[in-house]
Amino acid sequence: MTDFKVDALKVGEMYDSVSRFYEAWMGSSFHLSYWFGEDDDTSAAEAADRLTHKAGDTLGLLPGHHLLDAGCGTGGPAVALAVKTGARVTGISVSPVGVEFANNRAQEHGLSDRVHFEQGDYMSTRFGDDSFDAVLAIESLEHAPDLSQVLREFFRVLRPGGRFSLASYSSDSPMTKEEAGEVPKILDDKFPAVVDGMA
């Protein structure tokens, strides 16, 4: 457990340091965007919201349901799903800066009565058994030092019949030099303001 606390601290510090940049760059979603293909000219922020709803729609959330957003970032997906479904949401993150952003976002949307964020370790939460109707993990499991432990914890806090949805990224193979050479062009096409700001 001590090793994880060190890793969690490092992950939290990393997200603390990049949260403001991501908020300016991506808006309310702190995860990758979902495009339908090369001709899809949807903005990065809208495409990120698309991924939020694609993952969230699988949960079947209804008013009164309680969702755990594990690795909640700055709260964009949790707030969007709460608005769309009427569900209650509790988000946890190892980043105190992200949690502050997220709670401010909930307050700005008038959702503080049913959307709350706190600093927490998804390897071992403070929540009781059967506390949630659903668990959502969007691009947060990449940081888990022991995936089986995380999944055991998620299923412990899920009520019988509850649902779990995740979105993750992976690479089938290392990036070739040609593919790496395309990255600046892709960034410029999808994120021109960011690339201009980085120049």
Side-chain angles (χ1 to χ4, degrees), residues 75-87:
V79 166
L81 293 174
V83 168
K84 181 177 181 178
T85 67

Side-chain angles (χ1 to χ4, degrees), residues 95-154:
S95 167
V97 172
V99 167
E100 181 181 355
F101 270 78
N103 279 315
N104 288 340
R105 174 169 281 114
Q107 185 174 8
E108 288 165 7
H109 283 82
L111 296 172
S112 295
D113 59 328
R114 62 186 173 94
V115 180
H116 170 73
F117 303 92
E118 57 189 64
Q119 192 172 354
D121 173 352
Y122 62 24
M123 294 281 288
S124 178
T125 71
R126 65 168 187 81
F127 309 114
D129 295 353
D130 308 333
S131 297
F132 295 93
D133 299 285
V135 174
L136 177 67
I138 298 182
E139 295 174 17
S140 61
L141 298 184
E142 291 80 2
H143 300 297
D146 183 344
L147 187 57
S148 62
Q149 171 59 33
V150 176
L151 295 177
R152 280 193 298 273
E153 181 66 2
F154 289 171

Side-chain angles (χ1 to χ4, degrees), residues 32 34 45 51 58 63 67 72 88 93-94 96 101 108 111 116 121 126 142 152 154 167 178 198:
L32 294 177
Y34 183 81
L51 178 61
T58 66
L67 169 67
C72 62
R88 293 184 302 131
S93 172
V94 293
F101 270 78
E108 288 165 7
L111 296 172
H116 170 73
D121 173 352
R126 65 168 187 81
E142 291 80 2
R152 280 193 298 273
F154 289 171
E178 292 78 20
M198 292 170 65

Side-chain angles (χ1 to χ4, degrees), residues 1-198:
M1 198 62 161
T2 303
D3 288 342
F4 177 69
K5 292 300 180 188
V6 172
D7 290 344
L9 180 62
K10 289 179 181 177
V11 170
E13 288 173 349
M14 184 272 296
Y15 278 107
D16 285 349
S17 69
V18 299
S19 288
R20 286 175 180 81
F21 170 72
Y22 267 92
E23 281 280 311
W25 178 21
M26 293 293 293
S28 64
S29 292
F30 210 71
H31 56 71
L32 294 177
S33 301
Y34 183 81
W35 286 286
F36 293 124
E38 291 182 17
D39 295 332
D40 185 347
D41 62 357
T42 304
S43 73
E46 288 178 88
D49 289 342
R50 183 186 287 161
L51 178 61
T52 293
H53 292 290
K54 188 169 182 61
D57 287 349
T58 66
L59 296 171
L61 294 171
L62 297 171
H65 279 174
H66 194 183
L67 169 67
L68 172 63
D69 185 356
C72 62
T74 58
V79 166
L81 293 174
V83 168
K84 181 177 181 178
T85 67
R88 293 184 302 131
V89 184
T90 299
I92 57 173
S93 172
V94 293
S95 167
V97 172
V99 167
E100 181 181 355
F101 270 78
N103 279 315
N104 288 340
R105 174 169 281 114
Q107 185 174 8
E108 288 165 7
H109 283 82
L111 296 172
S112 295
D113 59 328
R114 62 186 173 94
V115 180
H116 170 73
F117 303 92
E118 57 189 64
Q119 192 172 354
D121 173 352
Y122 62 24
M123 294 281 288
S124 178
T125 71
R126 65 168 187 81
F127 309 114
D129 295 353
D130 308 333
S131 297
F132 295 93
D133 299 285
V135 174
L136 177 67
I138 298 182
E139 295 174 17
S140 61
L141 298 184
E142 291 80 2
H143 300 297
D146 183 344
L147 187 57
S148 62
Q149 171 59 33
V150 176
L151 295 177
R152 280 193 298 273
E153 181 66 2
F154 289 171
F155 285 100
R156 182 187 69 77
V157 301
L158 267 175
R159 293 186 178 126
R163 294 185 177 192
F164 168 53
S165 181
L166 70 94
S168 192
Y169 53 86
S170 65
S171 175
D172 292 333
S173 62
M175 188 180 291
T176 66
K177 287 183 180 181
E178 292 78 20
E179 290 169 332
E182 288 293 308
V183 169
K185 180 185 179 306
I186 293 167
L187 286 174
D188 192 41
D189 290 346
K190 296 292 183 181
F191 312 106
V194 173
V195 174
D196 289 347
M198 292 170 65

